[in-house]
Amino acid sequence: MQGQSNAELIALYSRAIALHPNDAEAYLRRGVLHCQQGDQLRGLADFNEALRLNPNHAAAYSNRGTLYLEQGKLAEALADFNEALRLNGSDSLTFYRRALLYQQRHEPQQALADLEMAIRLEPCLFEAHLLRGKLLLQEGDAHKALASFDEALRLQPHHALTRCLRALARWHLGQSEGALTELTEAIHLVPQEASFYELRSRIFAERGQLAEALADLDQALRLAPQEPGYYYSRGNLYLALGDQERALSDYSEALRLNPSYAEGYNNRGVIFLQRQEVEKALADFNAALRLKPDYADALTNRARSLLLLDEREQALNELNKALTLEPSHTQARYHRGCLLAEEGDYRGAVTDLTVALRRQPRWAAIYFYRGTCYYWLNELERALADLTDAIHFASQPQAVFYLHRGNTYRALGEYAEALADYDLAARLAPEMAEIYFARANLHFSQGDAEQALSDLAHCLKLQPDFGPAYLQRAAIYADQERYAEAVADLEQARTLVSPEEQNRIEWELALLRQRLAQQPES
């Protein structure tokens, strides 16, 4: 029968059945051919007839179970596989087929047990090794999965999908170089498979090889231009490269192809958020959450949008929801920690920021905010350690980090170190008025009034409405008995501070005016 088509073989078995209508084996074989032709109805009829003629035909149960499995009738399929194995407990193929059923039922341990039996009975059953590797990888056992893929490749050395899966296992084991080698071989075997390029792009991206990652995603999209996930992934790459326009275009295309893509709405919203287009960002985060109400990323990003609108209480509620869903969500912990710090709950902020650091131990901003919280809690050594870590982990020097560490050094009485940090902060951000105000306070505390006045003058040139700077300069002028200038600064400060502060300033003004009146004319 070698070389004959399925249709010809079906005709042969039909003639045999006409001559021998009680031949169960002929019905079984014709049923298999019908199924291979996609005619499940005739296939099922033949399997049923084979079992009517021979109720103990294990292969008929196994093949009918496979047909039920393809139809999604899992209960009927399981019953047939169980009966087949009761009749013939050494049929490796039926163990493999039942493993497929258990995989669909999300029962990986039962599936793995059946695959072990299939492999024990038939060590060269390629499909069993391949499926075993897939399930082990899903269960997080990349070492054993790799061994299964190795055995599968020993049996079929040029099987591209197995190479791809072995690459995935090696990537999970931290062997990114080996994973790239495997994927390059898989692509060599099947150069038209878009998913191979997409996976290789993810590995390149993790290694920081963004140009190579982008080239692979471009190729994946040439091969599969209707795949929304590839546009989404390329959008992520463009975002990492700082190309917001192309990222926005790719996210929008992903959403055109799949309007139910919650992740696409979330990431497009992030771009709008970065552009301060808050209403557009909120619309996208709302869309993501309509599709996926338990989406912690979108809840966190909606909270960030609400903060920009000064909806602080609602933002806090969103962050609380996100953390109820994912208690260790790094971004939610970070943003709630910052919000709590701004509200004066420094201890609560420290708790959140500490949890965030467990997941992201090299995130400079978390160290910075936790360090400022420790500063306000007067835990100065901890503040100093965190602010130093913030400076260490920052991708580029940040003036505000040095400013706050300078404040901490000053509070610790380490004035030389404080001055060095203020000087560096001023070089990094010469337009930041707060730096000059802090340095002026340090100079004045060290008896250098002229340097303090110079810094305060520069501070007020940069920010003429900086009330505390007028107050500080008035204090220096008063100390130097320059009462007229002190009065002028206090009168200016009075227009810039809170009503409570105004009352104190009025008292000081009265005192200074009295001294000014008593001062001899020069």
Side-chain angles (χ1 to χ4, degrees):
M1 293 185 184
Q2 191 173 7
Q4 292 178 297
S5 69
N6 277 8
E8 291 170 330
L9 291 172
I10 288 171
L12 282 175
Y13 280 119
S14 295
R15 287 197 290 273
I17 287 169
L19 293 171
H20 304 283
N22 293 322
D23 186 350
E25 192 67 27
Y27 281 103
L28 169 65
R29 292 181 182 277
R30 190 176 71 176
V32 170
L33 291 166
H34 279 312
C35 289
Q36 289 174 353
Q37 292 279 84
D39 191 344
Q40 292 187 342
L41 191 62
R42 285 193 171 92
L44 181 60
D46 277 351
F47 296 147
N48 287 339
E49 185 61 19
L51 287 166
R52 188 188 69 79
L53 294 167
N54 180 3
N56 294 317
H57 201 311
Y61 280 110
S62 183
N63 281 282
R64 190 174 71 175
T66 301
L67 189 152
Y68 284 141
L69 181 61
E70 290 173 358
Q71 293 178 332
K73 298 177 179 178
L74 301 189
E76 293 90 336
L78 182 59
D80 274 358
F81 291 145
N82 289 343
E83 184 62 14
L85 289 169
R86 187 187 69 79
L87 294 166
N88 179 10
S90 60
D91 184 359
S92 61
L93 191 55
T94 302
F95 276 111
Y96 168 72
R97 289 168 171 171
R98 193 170 69 175
L100 287 171
L101 181 147
Y102 283 131
Q103 180 193 28
Q104 286 195 27
R105 283 175 36 152
H106 306 289
E107 298 177 31
Q109 295 310 313
Q110 291 90 328
L112 286 167
D114 273 359
L115 291 169
E116 294 293 345
M117 282 297 300
I119 290 167
R120 192 177 307 156
L121 292 164
E122 189 177 342
C124 293
L125 186 57
F126 165 80
E127 292 83 0
H129 288 289
L130 181 60
L131 181 57
R132 182 175 179 269
K134 288 181 185 177
L135 289 170
L136 287 167
L137 195 55
Q138 289 170 8
E139 291 297 288
D141 194 340
H143 283 286
K144 286 184 179 178
L146 191 59
S148 283
F149 296 139
D150 287 345
E151 186 60 24
L153 279 173
R154 187 186 66 78
L155 296 167
Q156 291 195 23
H158 303 297
H159 195 266
L161 177 59
T162 306
R163 290 240 172 236
C164 177
L165 290 168
R166 189 162 73 166
L168 196 55
R170 296 186 73 173
W171 188 26
H172 285 187
L173 291 170
Q175 302 171 10
S176 62
E177 191 69 43
L180 289 173
T181 301
E182 297 284 358
L183 280 167
T184 300
E185 178 61 24
I187 288 168
H188 174 74
L189 293 166
V190 185
Q192 299 305 306
E193 179 51 58
S195 65
F196 295 171
Y197 293 96
E198 192 275 336
L199 177 57
R200 192 170 68 173
S201 79
R202 282 191 276 147
I203 299 173
F204 276 134
E206 184 185 78
R207 289 162 59 94
Q209 296 174 253
L210 300 187
E212 292 86 345
L214 189 58
D216 269 355
L217 277 174
D218 287 344
Q219 179 61 16
L221 281 164
R222 280 192 285 272
L223 295 168
Q226 299 302 308
E227 174 50 57
Y230 296 169
Y231 285 102
Y232 171 78
S233 295
R234 193 172 68 176
N236 291 342
L237 268 180
Y238 280 135
L239 193 57
L241 288 164
D243 192 338
Q244 287 188 350
E245 287 301 325
R246 287 181 174 170
L248 193 61
S249 174
D250 273 355
Y251 291 143
S252 296
E253 181 63 14
L255 290 167
R256 186 188 70 80
L257 293 167
N258 179 9
S260 299
Y261 203 157
E263 291 78 8
Y265 284 110
N266 178 69
N267 284 26
R268 190 175 69 176
V270 169
I271 294 180
F272 288 134
L273 195 58
Q274 290 176 351
R275 293 176 162 195
Q276 302 290 303
E277 297 178 47
V278 182
E279 295 301 332
K280 288 182 179 179
L282 268 176
D284 271 356
F285 299 140
N286 289 338
L289 287 163
R290 277 194 297 273
L291 293 164
K292 194 175 176 182
D294 60 350
Y295 191 2
D297 284 358
L299 284 165
T300 301
N301 287 323
R302 188 159 69 179
R304 293 170 61 199
S305 304
L306 291 166
L307 284 171
L308 290 176
L309 296 172
D310 205 30
E311 299 284 350
R312 303 174 75 79
E313 185 175 351
Q314 195 176 343
L316 183 58
N317 289 337
E318 297 289 285
L319 292 169
N320 289 339
K321 286 180 196 173
L323 289 167
T324 299
L325 292 166
E326 291 186 35
S328 59
H329 193 284
T330 307
Q331 286 276 353
R333 285 282 179 183
Y334 167 70
H335 287 290
R336 191 173 73 173
C338 294
L339 180 54
L340 291 174
E342 290 169 11
E343 297 292 320
D345 182 2
Y346 302 119
R347 191 61 65 191
V350 164
T351 299
D352 272 350
L353 295 168
T354 299
V355 173
L357 276 173
R358 292 193 195 115
R359 296 288 297 273
Q360 291 283 354
R362 301 176 66 84
W363 191 353
I366 304 178
Y367 286 106
F368 170 71
Y369 279 105
R370 192 175 70 171
T372 58
C373 288
Y374 281 136
Y375 175 85
W376 291 113
L377 289 166
N378 203 34
E379 298 180 27
L380 298 178
E381 292 296 343
R382 285 180 168 177
L384 184 62
D386 271 0
L387 292 166
T388 299
D389 281 336
I391 289 167
H392 173 73
F393 289 119
S395 57
Q396 56 187 16
Q398 298 290 326
V400 70
F401 293 0
Y402 287 99
L403 169 61
H404 282 264
R405 192 174 69 170
N407 292 341
T408 306
Y409 274 131
R410 182 186 166 206
L412 286 165
E414 299 180 35
Y415 301 120
E417 291 81 356
L419 183 58
D421 272 357
Y422 291 148
D423 288 346
L424 183 50
R427 285 197 295 275
L428 291 169
E431 75 292 344
M432 188 184 292
E434 190 179 353
I435 298 169
Y436 300 96
F437 176 70
R439 192 168 66 180
N441 284 333
L442 176 63
H443 284 311
F444 186 52
S445 71
Q446 295 300 290
D448 193 342
E450 291 311 311
Q451 279 295 333
L453 288 171
S454 173
D455 273 345
L456 288 168
H458 196 64
C459 170
L460 289 167
K461 180 180 177 182
L462 292 168
Q463 189 174 335
D465 62 349
F466 199 139
Y470 287 107
L471 289 173
Q472 182 62 48
R473 192 167 66 176
I476 297 173
Y477 284 147
D479 191 62
Q480 294 179 333
E481 298 184 356
R482 296 162 66 178
Y483 298 126
E485 291 159 292
V487 166
D489 273 355
L490 281 178
E491 287 176 341
Q492 184 65 29
R494 185 175 53 184
T495 67
L496 301 170
V497 298
S498 66
E500 294 78 9
E501 279 286 290
Q502 286 175 8
N503 292 332
R504 183 179 67 83
I505 291 174
E506 288 292 351
W507 180 85
E508 291 183 7
L509 274 170
L511 183 63
L512 285 174
R513 286 184 181 123
Q514 184 180 10
R515 290 179 180 175
L516 180 59
Q518 295 171 351
Q519 192 174 45
E521 292 185 13
S522 57

